[in-house]
């Protein structure tokens, strides 16, 4: 009996420690400019996901297989890298399009801005995700993805894609900050979303609608005083960086 008690005690201790370690390793959500209440409600302005019997869903199927065909290619390698939502990944994705190397240590005001709009982009898709609760394609087809190590943590709803909303939100804001590089920046933001189709985590319609949510997010951000002030700071920072 004493041995059983000791076993249960040790087991409980290990379980508690594992839970503590898990909480410690979870990525902390960055602050945002907009609260949930201020963000436009995607349930009210976004269309529902395509019905299974619709032509739109057939298009989703075609694009799903298109994505699979690219996984073992250089474009697939790019999609694997672009699965990251951390600041370093985002800065790497947009450095070449911006025509400069983006580093947090050298561009702290830009880093502050991007971290917050990434959170806002995720917020822009949240209500619609929960409302429609669409199953991700790799779960629907019971197939693997380009990034198998992330499959266990991606049983969340598929529509709209928060990754794609992030890429397009960042692209729109960076285009305003660096309009002379607009085409390159927007192309990078577009491909960031397409990477989710290639990876097998989203349907094409998830990605397309996410760009609508991102556009609504950016429009609402422009009515926010804190965002406006930060944009002024970043423009000055970028001008100084370009002169160096």
């Amino acid at each position: 009996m004493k041995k059983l008690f000791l076993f249960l005690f040790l087991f409980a201790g290990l379980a508690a420690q594992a839970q503590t370690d898990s909480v410690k390793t979870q990525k902390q959500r960055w602050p945002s400019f907009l609260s949930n209440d201020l963000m436009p409600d995607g349930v009210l302005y976004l269309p529902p996901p395509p019905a299974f019997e619709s032509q739109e869903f057939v298009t989703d199927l075609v694009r799903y297989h298109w994505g699979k065909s690219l996984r073992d290619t250089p474009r697939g390698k790019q999609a694997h890298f672009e699965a990251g939502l951390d600041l370093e990944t985002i800065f790497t994705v947009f450095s070449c399009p911006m025509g400069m190397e983006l580093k947090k240590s050298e561009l702290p005001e830009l880093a502050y801005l991007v971290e917050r709009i990434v959170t806002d982009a995720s917020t822009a898709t949240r209500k619609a995700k929960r409302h429609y609760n669409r199953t991700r394609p790799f779960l629907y087809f019971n197939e693997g993805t380009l990034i198998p190590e992330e499959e266990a943590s991606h049983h969340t709803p598929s529509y709209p894609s928060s990754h794609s909303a992030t890429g397009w939100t960042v692209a729109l804001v960076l285009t305003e900050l660096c309009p002379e590089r607009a085409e390159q920046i927007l192309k990078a933001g577009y491909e960031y979303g397409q990477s989710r189709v290639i990876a097998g985590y989203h349907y094409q319609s998830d990605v397309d609608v996410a760009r609508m949510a991102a556009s609504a997010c950016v429009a609402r951000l422009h009515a926010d005083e804190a965002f406006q002030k930060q944009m002024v700071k970043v423009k000055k920072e970028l001008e100084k960086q370009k002169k160096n």
Side-chain angles (χ1 to χ4, degrees):
M1 189 69 178
K2 289 182 179 180
K3 289 184 178 179
L4 177 60
F5 177 81
L6 179 60
F7 172 79
L8 292 175
F9 178 81
L10 291 173
F11 179 81
L14 289 171
Q17 183 62 47
Q19 184 176 15
T20 300
D21 292 342
S22 177
V23 171
K24 287 180 179 178
T25 57
Q26 286 178 356
K27 293 181 180 178
Q28 296 297 314
R29 181 171 178 250
W30 289 320
S32 62
F33 287 109
L34 302 176
S35 65
N36 289 337
D37 294 337
L38 293 177
M39 186 67 66
D41 186 349
V43 177
L44 301 179
Y45 70 86
L46 295 174
F52 290 122
E53 68 278 6
S54 67
Q55 182 60 47
E56 289 79 9
F57 187 70
V58 173
T59 301
D60 273 347
L61 295 180
V62 171
R63 296 298 286 174
Y64 174 74
H65 288 288
W66 163 81
K68 285 178 63 177
S69 73
L70 294 176
R71 291 179 191 175
D72 192 23
T73 69
R75 183 63 182 86
K77 185 176 181 180
Q78 176 187 339
H80 191 287
F81 176 77
E82 291 181 343
L85 275 173
D86 57 287
L87 183 64
E88 184 178 358
T89 297
I90 292 171
F91 268 10
T92 300
V93 168
F94 287 99
S95 283
C96 185
M98 285 281 286
M100 65 177 72
E101 187 175 7
L102 305 181
K103 290 184 177 181
K104 184 175 183 177
S105 59
E106 297 177 2
L107 298 167
E109 297 295 351
L110 178 62
Y112 180 96
L113 174 75
V114 170
E115 286 176 346
R116 279 150 183 78
I117 65 174
V118 166
T119 301
D120 286 316
S122 178
T123 302
T125 65
R126 186 172 299 122
K127 289 183 180 179
K129 271 183 175 288
R130 292 174 178 173
H131 179 77
Y132 293 115
N133 197 31
R134 190 185 198 186
T135 302
R136 290 181 184 267
F138 79 92
L139 293 172
Y140 179 78
F141 294 109
N142 193 27
E143 294 183 343
T145 67
L146 178 65
I147 314 166
E149 63 270 23
E150 294 188 2
E151 290 172 11
S153 63
H154 281 73
H155 285 237
T156 51
S158 182
Y159 180 96
S161 164
S162 58
H163 271 75
S164 304
T166 294
W168 198 239
T169 295
V170 173
L172 291 176
V173 172
L174 292 182
T175 294
E176 183 172 348
L177 292 167
C178 193
E180 68 275 14
R181 305 281 298 182
E183 292 85 359
Q184 297 93 325
I185 294 168
L186 292 170
K187 177 65 173 176
Y190 176 84
E191 293 297 342
Y192 191 85
Q194 292 307 109
S195 287
R196 302 308 287 165
V197 180
I198 295 169
Y201 282 94
H202 285 285
Y203 293 106
Q204 184 66 54
S205 58
D206 299 340
V207 172
D208 294 341
V209 169
R211 296 187 184 113
M212 295 174 60
S215 298
C217 173
V218 173
R220 181 60 185 83
L221 280 169
H222 277 286
D224 182 76
E225 185 177 357
F227 173 78
Q228 294 173 2
K229 290 181 178 179
Q230 189 60 28
M231 287 289 282
V232 172
K233 292 180 181 179
V234 175
K235 287 177 182 178
K236 292 180 180 179
E237 183 178 68
L238 289 174
E239 289 173 4
K240 182 179 179 180
Q241 181 75 3
K242 290 174 183 177
K243 291 179 182 178
N244 294 337

